[in-house]
Amino acid sequence: MWREAEDRVSLGIAQRLGVPEILGRLLAARGVGMEGAGDFLEPTLRALLPDPSVMADMDVAAERIADAVRRGETVAVFGDYDVDGACSGALMATFLRSLGCRVLSHVPDRTAEGYGPNVPALRSLIERGATLILCVDCGTAAGDVLGSVRGQADVVVLDHHKSEGPPPAVVATVNPNRLDCDSGLGTLCAAAIVFLTAIATVRALRRTGFFSGRREPDLLGLLDLVALATVCDVMPLTGLNRALVTQGLKVMARRERPGIAALLEVAQAKDRPNAMTLGFALGPRINAAGRISEADLGLRLLLCEDPVEARGLAATLDAVNRQRQAVEASMLDAALQAAEAQLAAGHAAVLVSGAQWHPGVVGIVAGRIKERFNRPACVAGIADGMAKGSGRSVGGLDLGAAVIAARQAGILATGGGHAMAAGFSLAEAQLAAFHGFLDTRLADAVRLPPAADLAVEGTLAVPGCTTELASQIGRLAPFGNGNEEPVLILPRTRVVRADRVGREAATIRAFVEGEGGGGRLKAVMFRAKEGPLPEALLGRDRLPLHLAGHLRAEEWNGTVSASFIITDAAIV
């Protein structure tokens, strides 16, 4: 599938900004017009940051938090056990402590407490002195639980999950996805909402002269946490999110936060961090704690100020992540086989379950199924007659809304989420009913191809794959949801040399040249253990190949060169 771009807009962008024509085409294909192209290539908070007050309840929330700061209250931060929850909790706790507050933190245990606020945990925080409780990345659907502490402590919710009805009866609920909020900021993660709340709180404190004689907190220094959460919660990397991640990566590159510096070290991420570093190196390690270990390990790491202690916590998270990978592998084969059988039987969506499947890993397995079959997928573990699970969806099919509707219909005991991901629990006896409900609600999935279409954006010749061009294309980063890395075609290339390298020899490094011997370019294929494509690259017959992939400028030992990352190929 070719991603088309209007020639007039493409040329206009290229001429106005003085960039190569192909970069103009890539921008236009992303829906970027001539007026917005500059901000896309150089996204700044100055240009894109909104007034936080556009969100419902923001001013009320900021004033209440500012009051707590001025009065020296003890503030509790109740978070979630995923990356967004850990980053949201760390951001708010760091911010409040910089203003002199005593802060308590609580992250619920996934198995023992489940998602979101619960009465025993809230009462424990109040008994420890909390007079204000901030629910970050949770709380929108917990009105009954939050009502149980009314009169004992004030509650402010800072969340982004879908809302079904009126917000909970608390001091304030800042959630761009609440039904009565028309801010247009519904694609922000919770950590970004916490960041905007910090801005509004500083503004409220500034109005009362709180900072006379004292320094204001360094809010920009918190953007590494916002970037990490935005990427790992798979928010679209466009508009404000693009600016938050771009600036947050600059902060992270300084490696001033001991916890993140230690995690980068243990993940052997030596280069300048990018969105892939966040999504594939840092995120899984932080998530692993909430999935199968101590739920607050990730938060503790992000809050840690001692480099020695941070290295110990990072090593623990790395070990937990390896354990998570082993648990995942034990479930994945059976889940994939069951999913394949369901799709062969005509189901629109996948719902697979297994006895004692670990509830902390079902979401990852659901993601693997979605990637393999290009269908919405839900995976559940069964214990004591109850199934607890998680789901992942594909673009254009709102799984969160489907799960909420299933709960409203009485099929699920609990359920919620957003368009691309959801969590749920139900009686084992209701699994078939839930599957039928998903099939009906997500019926359009049956028309999806068995694999996501490869959106090709241009054709290059090997001699044209220069370091300068690769660097220009790299200006479109950060890449991710909503701004995928451009897929380009190298037609009729021939492999000059290829060999296996890396851990378990799972990477193929090759050198290719154009038709007729024009130019030479390094090409790399990752996760290339077996299959027709690795065989074609390594084959002795050196048949001409059409290669699809990404052109990148990569630095090694101070030298920058162009590389082509192969994602697909066809024998000519």
Side-chain angles (χ1 to χ4, degrees):
M1 178 182 76
W2 285 87
R3 179 179 282 177
E4 300 291 343
E6 188 178 338
D7 289 342
R8 181 182 61 82
V9 177
S10 303
L11 289 171
I13 291 173
Q15 291 170 1
R16 174 175 292 191
L17 299 182
V19 298
E21 183 181 337
I22 187 172
L23 191 60
R25 287 207 308 271
L26 293 174
L27 285 164
R30 283 158 170 71
V32 179
M34 283 185 277
E35 296 303 322
D39 284 339
F40 192 95
L41 292 180
E42 300 291 340
T44 64
L45 293 177
R46 182 182 298 276
L48 297 169
L49 193 69
D51 182 344
S53 296
V54 299
M55 280 191 279
D57 271 5
M58 175 59 86
D59 290 340
V60 178
E63 288 292 347
R64 180 62 187 90
I65 297 169
D67 282 344
V69 171
R70 286 191 293 264
R71 295 171 182 166
E73 295 180 51
T74 295
V75 182
V77 180
F78 192 109
D80 187 21
Y81 35 65
D82 69 355
V83 176
D84 193 14
C87 290
S88 299
L91 195 159
M92 181 54 76
T94 301
F95 170 66
L96 290 174
R97 286 172 181 166
S98 74
L99 295 172
C101 277
R102 176 174 179 254
V103 181
L104 307 175
S105 296
H106 183 80
V107 179
D109 180 272
R110 183 188 293 263
T111 302
E113 298 175 78
Y115 168 79
N118 62 84
V119 174
L122 294 178
R123 288 181 176 165
S124 173
L125 292 169
I126 293 169
E127 289 169 1
R128 293 165 60 193
T131 53
L132 174 62
I133 299 174
L134 305 178
C135 295
V136 297
D137 198 27
C138 61
T140 296
D144 291 343
V145 171
L146 297 178
S148 70
V149 299
R150 190 176 296 115
Q152 303 171 59
D154 287 341
V155 176
V156 170
V157 171
L158 306 175
D159 196 9
H160 72 134
H161 291 93
K162 282 185 176 294
S163 176
E164 302 174 47
V170 297
V171 170
T173 297
V174 182
N175 182 341
N177 289 308
R178 58 184 274 184
L179 300 180
D180 60 344
C181 184
D182 57 3
S183 65
L185 299 175
T187 59
L188 295 183
C189 69
I193 293 160
V194 172
F195 179 73
L196 290 176
T197 305
I199 293 174
T201 302
V202 167
R203 187 169 60 189
L205 289 168
R206 191 184 295 134
R207 282 196 297 264
T208 62
F210 180 81
F211 295 110
S212 297
R214 65 184 297 168
R215 294 179 60 183
E216 294 190 8
D218 176 20
L219 297 183
L220 294 181
L222 300 171
L223 285 173
D224 55 345
L225 297 172
V226 180
L228 179 57
T230 299
V231 171
C232 293
D233 226 41
V234 201
M235 297 294 104
L237 297 185
T238 56
L240 175 57
N241 280 337
R242 181 171 172 79
L244 291 169
V245 172
T246 298
Q247 302 307 319
L249 286 170
K250 293 178 182 177
V251 174
M252 189 177 291
R254 301 200 297 259
R255 303 193 180 219
E256 293 174 349
R257 190 177 304 278
I260 288 184
L263 205 57
L264 287 167
E265 183 179 344
V266 80
Q268 298 182 12
K270 299 176 182 178
D271 297 331
R272 187 179 181 87
N274 56 31
M276 289 185 64
T277 311
L278 309 189
F280 294 98
L282 303 186
R285 288 171 169 83
I286 294 174
N287 258 333
R291 294 185 186 282
I292 63 173
S293 184
E294 300 171 65
D296 67 344
L297 263 178
L299 175 64
R300 284 159 50 196
L301 176 74
L302 295 176
L303 287 173
C304 183
E305 297 180 354
D306 178 3
V308 176
E309 181 185 355
R311 284 194 288 271
L313 288 169
T316 299
L317 282 171
D318 189 53
V320 171
N321 189 51
R322 289 196 297 272
Q323 181 185 353
R324 186 271 306 169
Q325 291 170 329
V327 173
E328 175 192 336
S330 70
M331 295 167 48
L332 186 58
D333 285 346
L336 287 172
Q337 289 179 20
E340 189 169 16
Q342 289 181 6
L343 295 176
H347 287 280
V350 170
L351 173 60
V352 297
S353 58
Q356 305 303 320
W357 281 4
H358 199 295
V361 181
V362 290
I364 298 176
V365 175
R368 301 278 190 249
I369 294 173
K370 180 211 67 167
E371 291 167 3
R372 176 73 66 87
F373 299 109
N374 196 35
R375 292 290 185 90
C378 292
V379 180
I382 301 171
D384 301 323
M386 291 293 294
K388 293 183 178 181
S390 187
R392 299 292 183 268
S393 193
V394 296
L397 294 174
D398 192 331
L399 180 61
V403 166
I404 289 171
R407 182 174 60 75
Q408 293 172 334
I411 297 172
L412 301 179
T414 63
H418 49 77
M420 300 298 287
F424 56 87
S425 68
L426 70 164
E428 181 181 2
Q430 289 284 80
L431 281 168
F434 182 38
H435 201 175
F437 187 93
L438 290 175
D439 280 340
T440 301
R441 184 83 183 205
L442 305 174
D444 288 346
V446 297
R447 294 195 287 272
L448 293 172
D453 289 334
L454 192 66
V456 176
E457 298 191 57
T459 300
L460 297 173
V462 170
C465 293
T466 63
T467 302
E468 170 61 22
L469 178 60
S471 297
Q472 288 283 356
I473 292 173
R475 296 179 66 189
L476 297 172
F479 298 119
N481 179 30
N483 183 42
E484 287 76 17
E485 188 172 6
V487 176
L488 304 167
I489 298 294
L490 290 180
R492 300 192 66 85
T493 62
R494 196 178 299 274
V495 177
V496 177
R497 177 167 61 86
D499 53 4
R500 289 190 173 276
V501 296
R503 184 180 298 177
E504 299 179 359
T507 297
I508 293 177
R509 180 182 58 195
F511 290 89
V512 300
E513 62 183 16
E515 189 173 21
R520 182 169 291 196
L521 177 67
K522 185 176 79 171
V524 179
M525 181 182 179
F526 299 104
R527 295 186 294 278
K529 286 191 174 182
E530 56 186 24
L533 178 49
E535 291 174 6
L537 291 171
L538 295 167
R540 295 176 179 273
D541 44 13
R542 302 296 191 230
L543 295 173
L545 301 170
H546 295 319
L547 298 180
H550 313 298
L551 182 64
R552 295 178 186 166
E554 299 187 328
E555 184 174 350
W556 178 255
N557 289 336
T559 301
V560 180
S561 60
S563 295
F564 193 79
I565 311 304
I566 301 170
T567 59
D568 205 350
I571 298 175
V572 179

